């Protein structure tokens, strides 16, 4: 029975992943290929200015109270305390700075990071399939259809 639950859980996760939003750098009228090239250049510059710096830290574990210990006659005493085991973890100390450098670089080139909603199945079934080559002027009702890999189609459901 576990494999069925796992498959059902995976199907639900994939269905939920189809909803939501699609995040990208956006500048009205920009060619998508130019936007991707600018993003790569800014990402490269960000790695040069804020390279990966792996740090290690320790979480010494929480202290938890144990339940009281009671004898058959009903008298109880405190159960004491127990510390959970420590956990060593690593992280990239420059990740936040690198993201900021990349956003600033893209902003200097006229882009902003936006999240466009994913188009509903109904909208997707009503449009001629295609791939966006030039970013249209954003308006209310703008949504995106994923077309595989890093390709997408931006659709305006209401007149802009």
């Amino acid at each position: 029975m576990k494999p069925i639950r796992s498959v059902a859980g995976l199907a639900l996760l994939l269905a939920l992943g189809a909803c939501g939003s699609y995040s990208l750098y956006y500048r009205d009228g920009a060619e998508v290929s130019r936007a991707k090239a600018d993003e790569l250049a800014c990402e490269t510059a960000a790695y040069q200015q804020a390279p990966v710096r792996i740090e290690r830290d320790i979480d010494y574990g929480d202290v938890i109270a144990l339940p009281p210990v009671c004898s058959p006659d009903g008298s109880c005493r405190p159960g004491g305390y127990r510390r959970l085991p420590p956990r060593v973890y690593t992280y990239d100390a420059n990740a936040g700075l690198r993201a900021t450098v990349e956003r600033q670089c893209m902003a200097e080139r006229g882009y902003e990071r936006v999240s466009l909603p994913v188009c509903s199945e109904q909208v997707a079934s009503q449009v001629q399939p295609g791939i966006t080559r030039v970013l249209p002027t954003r308006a209310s009702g703008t949504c995106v259809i994923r077309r595989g890999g890093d390709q997408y189609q931006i659709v305006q459901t209401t007149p802009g």
Side-chain angles (χ1 to χ4, degrees):
M1 189 63 97
K2 276 194 178 221
I4 293 174
R5 273 192 264 160
S6 297
V7 170
L10 180 60
L12 178 61
L13 183 62
L14 290 174
L16 291 174
C19 302
S21 62
Y22 186 80
S23 179
L24 70 155
Y25 283 106
Y26 208 99
R27 182 178 75 203
D28 293 346
E31 291 182 12
V32 172
S33 59
R34 177 79 257 160
K36 289 178 182 178
D38 287 342
E39 184 174 2
L40 179 60
C42 287
E43 184 179 349
T44 301
Y47 270 99
Q48 289 171 347
Q49 293 177 40
V52 174
R53 192 177 92 215
I54 301 299
E55 302 247 337
R56 198 170 84 158
D57 208 346
I58 299 174
D59 176 358
Y60 288 100
D62 293 331
V63 176
I64 57 172
L66 298 174
V69 177
C70 298
S71 63
D73 68 1
S75 62
C76 296
R77 64 176 173 78
Y81 296 92
R82 182 175 148 231
R83 180 177 291 278
L84 295 175
R87 183 178 69 96
V88 177
Y89 61 96
T90 59
Y91 62 96
D92 180 356
N94 279 345
L97 175 59
R98 194 167 40 254
T100 300
V101 169
E102 181 180 335
R103 275 192 311 275
Q104 286 175 343
C105 176
M106 289 299 284
E108 289 169 3
R109 295 171 185 228
Y111 297 91
E112 68 176 308
R113 190 80 181 178
V114 300
S115 290
L116 297 178
V118 173
C119 298
S120 67
E121 289 290 328
Q122 181 182 8
V123 170
S125 67
Q126 293 176 355
V127 299
Q128 179 71 29
I131 295 171
T132 297
R133 304 276 183 224
V134 176
L135 298 171
T137 300
R138 280 183 299 142
S140 63
T142 300
C143 62
V144 66
I145 302 168
R146 297 174 193 184
R147 295 292 184 201
D150 64 347
Q151 296 181 330
Y152 50 83
Q153 180 178 6
I154 295 176
V155 177
Q156 292 183 343
T157 58
T158 56

